[in-house]
Amino acid sequence: MDCIFCKIINGEIPSSKVYEDDLVYAFKDINPEAPIHVLIVPKKHIESAHQIDESDFQSVGHIHLIAQQIAKESGIDQSGYRLLTNIGKDGGQSVSHLHYHLLGGRQLKWPPG
Ligand code: 5GP
Ligand code: ZN
Protein backbone atom coordinates (compact mmCIF):
# COMPACT_ATOMS: atom_id res chain seq x y z
CA MET A 1 0.00 0.00 0.00
CA ASP A 2 1.32 3.41 -0.95
CA CYS A 3 0.89 5.09 2.45
CA ILE A 4 3.64 7.28 3.90
CA PHE A 5 2.66 6.54 7.49
CA CYS A 6 2.67 2.76 6.85
CA LYS A 7 6.16 3.26 5.40
CA ILE A 8 7.21 5.24 8.48
CA ILE A 9 5.86 2.48 10.75
CA ASN A 10 7.76 -0.25 8.86
CA GLY A 11 10.95 1.84 8.67
CA GLU A 12 10.99 2.40 4.89
CA ILE A 13 10.80 6.15 5.55
CA PRO A 14 12.92 7.44 8.46
CA SER A 15 11.24 9.25 11.33
CA SER A 16 12.09 10.67 14.71
CA LYS A 17 10.48 7.99 16.89
CA VAL A 18 9.00 9.02 20.21
CA TYR A 19 7.27 5.77 21.21
CA GLU A 20 6.42 2.34 19.82
CA ASP A 21 4.59 -0.77 20.95
CA ASP A 22 2.56 -3.56 19.30
CA LEU A 23 -0.40 -1.29 18.56
CA VAL A 24 0.88 2.23 18.05
CA TYR A 25 3.79 4.26 16.70
CA ALA A 26 4.51 7.89 17.65
CA PHE A 27 6.96 10.23 15.93
CA LYS A 28 7.78 13.93 15.64
CA ASP A 29 5.87 15.84 12.98
CA ILE A 30 8.23 16.86 10.16
CA ASN A 31 6.69 20.34 10.07
CA PRO A 32 5.96 21.19 13.72
CA GLU A 33 3.23 23.73 14.45
CA ALA A 34 4.16 23.98 18.14
CA PRO A 35 7.25 23.33 20.31
CA ILE A 36 5.86 19.82 20.94
CA HIS A 37 4.18 18.27 17.89
CA VAL A 38 3.99 14.49 17.90
CA LEU A 39 1.91 12.26 15.63
CA ILE A 40 0.45 9.11 17.22
CA VAL A 41 -0.80 6.49 14.78
CA PRO A 42 -2.22 2.97 15.00
CA LYS A 43 0.03 0.42 13.29
CA LYS A 44 -3.04 -0.90 11.50
CA HIS A 45 -3.85 1.14 8.41
CA ILE A 46 -7.17 2.90 9.07
CA GLU A 47 -8.02 5.72 6.67
CA SER A 48 -9.35 8.17 9.26
CA ALA A 49 -11.38 8.33 12.47
CA HIS A 50 -14.45 8.00 10.27
CA GLN A 51 -13.40 4.42 9.40
CA ILE A 52 -12.86 3.24 13.00
CA ASP A 53 -14.95 0.21 13.92
CA GLU A 54 -15.37 -1.83 17.10
CA SER A 55 -12.28 -3.93 16.36
CA ASP A 56 -10.21 -0.73 16.65
CA PHE A 57 -11.42 0.32 20.11
CA GLN A 58 -8.37 -1.11 21.88
CA SER A 59 -5.79 0.66 19.72
CA VAL A 60 -7.71 3.95 19.62
CA GLY A 61 -8.24 3.93 23.39
CA HIS A 62 -4.59 3.00 23.85
CA ILE A 63 -3.55 6.05 21.80
CA HIS A 64 -5.14 8.27 24.47
CA LEU A 65 -3.07 6.63 27.23
CA ILE A 66 0.11 6.95 25.15
CA ALA A 67 -0.72 10.62 24.54
CA GLN A 68 -0.88 11.15 28.31
CA GLN A 69 2.49 9.45 28.70
CA ILE A 70 4.15 11.46 25.90
CA ALA A 71 2.68 14.71 27.26
CA LYS A 72 4.13 13.92 30.68
CA GLU A 73 7.53 12.99 29.28
CA SER A 74 7.51 16.19 27.19
CA GLY A 75 6.76 18.30 30.26
CA ILE A 76 3.43 19.66 29.01
CA ASP A 77 1.00 17.62 31.10
CA GLN A 78 0.57 20.45 33.61
CA SER A 79 0.48 23.35 31.13
CA GLY A 80 -1.99 21.55 28.86
CA TYR A 81 -1.98 20.37 25.29
CA ARG A 82 -4.22 19.43 22.40
CA LEU A 83 -4.95 15.96 20.99
CA LEU A 84 -6.79 16.05 17.68
CA THR A 85 -7.43 14.18 14.49
CA ASN A 86 -8.40 15.74 11.17
CA ILE A 87 -10.90 13.90 8.97
CA GLY A 88 -11.19 14.22 5.20
CA LYS A 89 -10.74 17.22 2.95
CA ASP A 90 -12.69 19.84 4.87
CA GLY A 91 -11.25 18.51 8.12
CA GLY A 92 -7.76 19.29 6.82
CA GLN A 93 -6.53 15.70 6.61
CA SER A 94 -3.55 15.42 4.24
CA VAL A 95 -2.38 11.86 5.05
CA SER A 96 -5.00 9.10 4.79
CA HIS A 97 -3.75 7.00 7.71
CA LEU A 98 -5.45 7.76 11.03
CA HIS A 99 -3.21 9.98 13.16
CA TYR A 100 -3.61 12.05 16.28
CA HIS A 101 -1.69 15.30 16.61
CA LEU A 102 -0.35 15.96 20.11
CA LEU A 103 0.44 19.67 20.26
CA GLY A 104 1.72 21.77 23.13
CA GLY A 105 4.46 23.91 24.61
CA ARG A 106 2.70 27.19 23.81
CA GLN A 107 -0.76 28.72 24.20
CA LEU A 108 -2.75 27.22 21.33
CA LYS A 109 -5.41 29.28 19.60
CA TRP A 110 -9.08 28.43 19.25
CA PRO A 111 -11.15 28.35 17.06
CA PRO A 112 -8.90 26.70 14.45
CA GLY A 113 -10.24 28.76 11.54
P1 5GP B 1 -2.93 16.08 8.60
O1 5GP B 1 -2.81 17.33 7.79
O2 5GP B 1 -3.24 14.88 7.73
O3 5GP B 1 -3.83 16.18 9.79
O4 5GP B 1 -1.50 15.83 9.23
C1 5GP B 1 -0.45 15.24 8.53
C2 5GP B 1 0.81 15.63 9.23
O5 5GP B 1 1.83 14.74 8.81
C3 5GP B 1 1.29 17.05 8.93
O6 5GP B 1 1.36 17.78 10.14
C4 5GP B 1 2.65 16.84 8.26
O7 5GP B 1 3.59 17.80 8.65
C5 5GP B 1 3.04 15.45 8.73
N1 5GP B 1 3.87 14.72 7.81
C6 5GP B 1 3.65 14.54 6.46
N2 5GP B 1 4.61 13.78 5.92
C7 5GP B 1 5.46 13.47 6.93
C8 5GP B 1 6.66 12.70 6.99
O8 5GP B 1 7.14 12.13 6.00
N3 5GP B 1 7.27 12.60 8.21
C9 5GP B 1 6.76 13.19 9.32
N4 5GP B 1 7.42 13.04 10.47
N5 5GP B 1 5.62 13.92 9.31
C10 5GP B 1 4.98 14.05 8.12
ZN1 ZN C 1 -1.11 3.53 6.25
Side-chain angles (χ1 to χ4, degrees):
M1 188 185 299
D2 199 24
C3 167
I4 57 170
F5 286 179
C6 282
K7 287 180 178 167
I8 284 175
I9 292 162
N10 71 27
E12 268 182 75
I13 295 176
S15 66
S16 184
K17 180 165 87 174
V18 173
Y19 178 85
E20 179 176 16
D21 63 27
D22 288 349
L23 292 174
V24 310
Y25 190 84
F27 54 104
K28 291 184 182 172
D29 196 292
I30 204 166
N31 183 24
E33 298 288 351
I36 305 296
H37 189 172
V38 175
L39 300 173
I40 312 173
V41 309
K43 285 191 167 173
K44 175 186 169 188
H45 181 90
I46 304 168
E47 198 175 314
S48 82
H50 195 69
Q51 278 74 34
I52 289 168
D53 65 31
E54 290 191 7
S55 70
D56 302 316
F57 283 5
Q58 194 193 358
S59 59
V60 172
H62 187 55
I63 282 172
H64 282 251
L65 293 182
I66 298 310
Q68 293 178 12
Q69 186 181 311
I70 294 170
K72 198 167 181 186
E73 286 167 4
S74 304
I76 57 171
D77 56 317
Q78 297 300 315
S79 52
Y81 57 95
R82 192 168 290 165
L83 183 66
L84 67 91
T85 185
N86 296 322
I87 300 170
K89 184 176 97 35
D90 282 2
Q93 184 179 8
S94 61
V95 178
S96 296
H97 181 131
L98 175 63
H99 52 282
Y100 290 79
H101 296 258
L102 191 163
L103 293 146
R106 67 169 172 83
Q107 180 65 58
L108 298 168
K109 297 187 186 75
W110 192 263

